Amino acid sequence: MTSRCIQLLEATLLVALVCLAHTVSAKANLPGTKPLTVEGDLAEHMLDGAHRFLDRKLVKTGNSRSAYWKNSASSPADLKKSLSGNQAELARVLGVVEERVAFAAPNMVTTTTRPAKVGSGKGYEVLAIRWPVLDGMFGEGLLLRPTGRDPVAEVVAIPDADQSPESLVGLAAGTALESQFARRLAESGCRVVVPALIDRTIRAQSERRKRVKVSNREFLHRSAFLMGRTLQGYEMQKVLALVDWFAKENDLPIGLVGWGEGGMLALQTAALDPRIDATCVSGFFGPRENMWREPLERNLFGFLNRFGDAELARLTSPRALVVEVAKGPEVVIDSPGAAPGRLTTPSLEEVRREFSRAKALTPKVDRKSKLELFVSGKDGQGAPGGSKALGAFLEILTPGKVLAKSGKVPKAVAPLPDSSARHLRAFREIDSHVQRLLDESHRIRSANFQPDLSSLDAFAKSAIPHRKRFEEEVIGRFEDDFLPLN
């Protein structure tokens, strides 16, 4: 259960106690009540009741979302307008709210002892690059650039959090040959960028708190969440900065493809940005009602009130979405001081059910929308990056283009980038950006909170929008009526 849910339930309990105190003061005897006879730990009973209450709420979220998704638009223009509010809310929930730094092109990462070109494959070269994203924050990764020909499409291939760009390309161990989709797309003539993500390595908090161990991703998400940001949002900004570059440099089609955490980021980014023509999601798609069981960095305040994967898919239309049902990353977070979390692969039945919801959400006015589902292996437990899904993705991006037959892994021509140093830079840049937001937060509060102090009535009236925002966006609100006192 998240801290905000606990705060909300405690606040609700406090209101009930205030009502009870008022009743007791008005009348010594309470009609319709009886002595409390519950045995055992009352705090445990209260916590169990809170869990049951929230479980019921989670089950109902799928039905309550329908109020935000109307399919009555009569034209593509009307449809775009009707979806813009949902996209704005998604951006707010994810914390994708800051203007990105403009840049002409990524920089090559090179030193006096290591050139930027680190590998060479059939029809492409591999370069280490770095690009600006937000103030003081950069993205880093590998660029697979076609040689001797112009690229047919621009693609961001997003790995899982525990998967390095080098392994997805084939320059390092860790990714099976058939799942190196970044390399496959480069062999087919695409210009591909593979960004590096923050990994899930468990780390000690400090020398003083050695027993408290959380993952790198949880550590960064905890502080970002308090500033209205998320780790997902920061990594999406790195992807969107590449989309900015692609869109400014040429008119080629733009695609996103990802597996695991990368699949999640690809889907959410495509839901926000209409410049992305096609998206391929592998090892991530299904019902999200149990996202609270996942690692803490997957927790998003208010997300389920309006969104599930079907709704995210809805936001990608009339552009294309290819879903590959494949085995996803299997992760268990169970260390002292960390929020327990687990990642498992959704069943084929669960994915198909969510995919059917996405199809049902697509109105008839979106006739050009393409939603395709592919199953890897038996019951969707096969390897990601299969030729069928990847070929369909490429054909949508560039009609008539056929996925090239898989070649050999690229040959390293120079020492590979220091992945540990690269990860440390990324970690510190995100952490520093959050701390700068914290340093400036008092100025933002002062600018936003300017109540009318001319009279008590004027103050009460001017405070209404602030109370509303605090209730809906900070603490959260349940609209259930209180039960009778017992």
Side-chain angles (χ1 to χ4, degrees), residues 219-248:
F219 181 91
L220 292 175
H221 180 75
R222 281 177 176 268
S223 55
F225 189 81
L226 299 178
M227 302 311 301
R229 308 299 192 273
T230 68
L231 179 57
Q232 296 175 44
Y234 279 131
E235 292 181 328
M236 289 170 63
Q237 289 278 39
K238 294 184 179 185
V239 175
L240 287 167
L242 291 169
V243 175
D244 294 340
W245 171 47
F246 291 156
K248 181 170 57 178

Side-chain angles (χ1 to χ4, degrees), residues 35-276:
L36 179 65
T37 59
V38 176
E39 297 181 356
D41 190 329
L42 293 181
E44 288 290 337
H45 284 295
M46 184 179 72
L47 188 60
D48 289 342
H51 273 296
R52 290 192 296 271
F53 176 80
L54 291 173
D55 285 342
R56 291 195 299 269
K57 286 292 182 183
L58 286 171
V59 171
K60 294 179 179 179
T61 54
N63 295 328
S64 60
R65 288 183 211 133
S66 59
Y68 298 102
W69 301 89
K70 303 297 184 183
N71 290 340
S72 58
S74 57
S75 69
D78 290 339
L79 190 63
K80 181 179 179 180
K81 184 178 180 180
S82 70
L83 295 178
S84 61
N86 286 322
Q87 287 177 316
E89 175 64 8
L90 179 62
R92 186 192 70 80
V93 168
L94 290 165
V96 184
V97 294
E98 292 168 271
E99 184 176 350
R100 291 179 293 280
V101 175
F103 64 98
N107 297 319
M108 301 294 184
V109 178
T110 183
T111 69
T112 56
T113 59
R114 189 188 68 237
K117 182 177 177 179
V118 296
S120 179
K122 185 179 180 180
Y124 66 94
E125 59 184 355
V126 185
L127 307 164
I129 63 169
R130 174 178 168 89
W131 62 95
V133 181
L134 302 175
D135 181 27
M137 185 188 303
F138 293 81
E140 288 193 59
L142 297 178
L143 167 65
L144 283 67
R145 183 170 64 184
T147 55
R149 55 179 171 173
D150 293 330
V152 298
E154 308 279 20
V155 176
V156 183
I158 314 174
D160 180 58
D162 289 332
Q163 194 177 30
S164 72
E166 289 74 22
S167 71
L168 191 59
V169 169
L171 284 170
T175 303
L177 188 67
E178 65 271 21
S179 297
Q180 295 170 5
F181 50 84
R183 173 182 59 81
R184 299 288 309 277
L185 291 168
E187 291 170 344
S188 301
C190 298
R191 183 165 65 167
V192 183
V193 177
V194 187
L197 304 185
I198 299 298
D199 65 27
R200 302 186 186 96
T201 300
I202 303 297
R203 64 195 300 274
Q205 286 286 288
S206 65
E207 283 297 315
R208 186 172 59 88
R209 302 178 65 195
K210 288 183 178 180
R211 294 185 61 187
V212 179
K213 297 180 179 181
V214 301
S215 73
N216 286 319
R217 295 187 69 79
E218 179 178 336
F219 181 91
L220 292 175
H221 180 75
R222 281 177 176 268
S223 55
F225 189 81
L226 299 178
M227 302 311 301
R229 308 299 192 273
T230 68
L231 179 57
Q232 296 175 44
Y234 279 131
E235 292 181 328
M236 289 170 63
Q237 289 278 39
K238 294 184 179 185
V239 175
L240 287 167
L242 291 169
V243 175
D244 294 340
W245 171 47
F246 291 156
K248 181 170 57 178
E249 189 159 282
N250 55 55
D251 293 326
L252 291 175
I254 299 173
L256 303 182
V257 55
W259 175 68
E261 205 80 9
M264 177 188 72
L265 296 175
L267 178 60
Q268 293 173 169
T269 305
L272 287 182
D273 198 323
R275 296 175 299 175
I276 297 163

